[in-house]
Amino acid sequence: EWVDWGETLQDNVVMGGELRPQRLQQVLDCCGIALLPSTPLLSKQHGGDRELLQRVMLARGVYASRDLYLLDEPLAGCPLEARISTVRTLLRTVLRGRAVLVASSSYALAQEAAEDIMVLLRGGRA
């Protein structure tokens, strides 16, 4: 499992690392997670919410404070506008000044996320 069911949202994002409450709240806000950090993630309550689970996984990676991020189809199961909005928010706040590579089948998302865009073609078509 990618989520530790029964553990709190905070525990699932921080993953045993140093707790920085302000950073945690900023990351949760930027990832569009409206739950309190102390909220337990329960399989019966949250297990069917793929969007929430994808946002938790994204928050986990962003919280880690790395110099390089690879976002491969971030929030793929979410509506495109939500994906674009979340990636835009992350790039303008907590990921500002970091190297971020976004792989996406959505040109609109890539266009929003990128300073430079590379389009890979298969059979002469994008």
Side-chain angles (χ1 to χ4, degrees), residues 39-122:
T39 303
L41 295 181
L42 306 172
S43 61
K44 289 183 180 178
Q45 184 175 354
H46 301 107
D49 189 345
R50 271 189 68 77
E51 185 171 338
L52 173 63
L53 298 180
Q54 289 182 341
R55 289 178 183 278
V56 170
M57 298 302 98
L58 183 59
R60 180 184 290 171
V62 170
Y63 182 82
S65 293
R66 302 297 184 223
D67 293 327
L68 173 65
Y69 290 87
L70 171 59
L71 304 180
D72 184 8
E73 294 288 352
L75 305 175
C78 303
L80 180 59
E81 285 305 314
R83 295 169 63 198
I84 291 172
S85 174
T86 300
V87 169
R88 178 187 309 128
T89 300
L90 287 168
L91 292 173
R92 292 180 180 170
T93 56
V94 294
L95 296 181
R96 187 179 187 96
R98 312 285 177 150
V100 181
L101 176 64
V102 178
S104 178
S105 58
S106 165
Y107 186 76
L109 177 63
Q111 193 173 23
E112 179 64 41
E115 292 179 17
D116 297 306
I117 295 177
M118 177 185 298
V119 177
L120 300 178
L121 302 175
R122 177 184 296 162

Side-chain angles (χ1 to χ4, degrees), residues 7-41 55-65 69 89-90 93-94:
E7 296 296 326
T8 65
L9 174 60
Q10 173 181 301
D11 292 337
N12 272 280
V13 172
V14 175
M15 293 290 295
E18 177 188 348
L19 175 60
R20 294 168 291 170
Q22 288 180 323
R23 172 142 178 96
L24 176 62
Q25 192 57 59
Q26 182 183 33
V27 167
L28 294 178
D29 291 344
C30 289
C31 288
I33 301 173
L35 301 173
L36 294 173
S38 59
T39 303
L41 295 181
R55 289 178 183 278
V56 170
M57 298 302 98
L58 183 59
R60 180 184 290 171
V62 170
Y63 182 82
S65 293
Y69 290 87
T89 300
L90 287 168
T93 56
V94 294

